[in-house]
Amino acid sequence: MKKPLVYFLCTGNSCRSQMAHGWLHAIAGDKYEVQSAGLEAHGLNPRAVAVMKEAGVDISHHTSDVIDPEILERADYIITLCGHANDHCPVVRNEKAERWHWGFDDPAKATGSEEEIMTQFRIVRDAIQARMEHFAKEEK
């Protein structure tokens, strides 16, 4: 049986969509096919990789990708994680997809010392983890 496809979208596919991708794959990869992409490809943020590794999820092998129209059309769930991506997501002709917006603050915009910045990454990581756990439990 085909697993439902969850497509996480963000502006640059560098932080939030990567964390969501990593978490859902780790939590419910047996139930879902998980992909992520951005309006642009900004590269994988090393701080996102580091905080996910702290939590036991390796996203270091992920790539930062631009939205693929074919994946967008196949998706069962299209979930934007930042307002910019929600506002600028391409027109989706995929009638079957459920489309949701779950906004999270952009940790890449955090300022301060390295520890203060990493704290913001951890806060967003943990919020995304909680949302993915809820999604995996609620969706069938």
Side-chain angles (χ1 to χ4, degrees), residues 14-16 45 47 105-111 117 120-121 124:
S14 66
C15 290
R16 292 165 286 182
N45 187 300
R47 290 180 176 126
D105 290 339
D106 186 356
K109 289 192 162 98
T111 59
I117 292 168
Q120 287 306 306
F121 270 84
V124 172

Side-chain angles (χ1 to χ4, degrees), residues 8 10 12-24 36-37 43-45 48-49 52 57 59 61-65 81 128:
F8 292 111
C10 226
N13 192 217
S14 66
C15 290
R16 292 165 286 182
S17 53
Q18 294 286 353
M19 287 192 258
H21 181 163
W23 274 124
L24 188 59
S36 66
L44 193 54
N45 187 300
V49 174
M52 289 297 286
V57 179
I59 62 168
H61 60 283
H62 286 199
T63 57
S64 180
D65 302 311
L81 301 167
I128 291 173

Side-chain angles (χ1 to χ4, degrees), residues 48-130:
V49 174
V51 297
M52 289 297 286
K53 186 175 185 175
E54 287 175 3
V57 179
D58 182 9
I59 62 168
S60 64
H61 60 283
H62 286 199
T63 57
S64 180
D65 302 311
V66 174
I67 295 170
D68 181 327
E70 289 180 19
I71 297 174
L72 199 61
E73 292 301 319
R74 284 192 307 114
D76 297 286
Y77 300 92
I78 299 167
I79 302 170
T80 53
L81 301 167
C82 69
H84 185 259
N86 188 44
D87 294 342
H88 295 90
C89 184
V91 173
V92 180
R93 290 171 182 47
N94 179 345
E95 303 277 325
K96 72 173 172 56
E98 290 194 44
R99 187 161 169 188
W100 295 326
H101 174 66
W102 300 337
F104 293 97
D105 290 339
D106 186 356
K109 289 192 162 98
T111 59
S113 69
E114 183 61 21
E115 190 50 42
E116 290 168 330
I117 292 168
M118 290 300 283
T119 296
Q120 287 306 306
F121 270 84
R122 291 180 187 108
I123 289 168
V124 172
R125 174 201 65 200
D126 295 347
I128 291 173
Q129 176 186 9

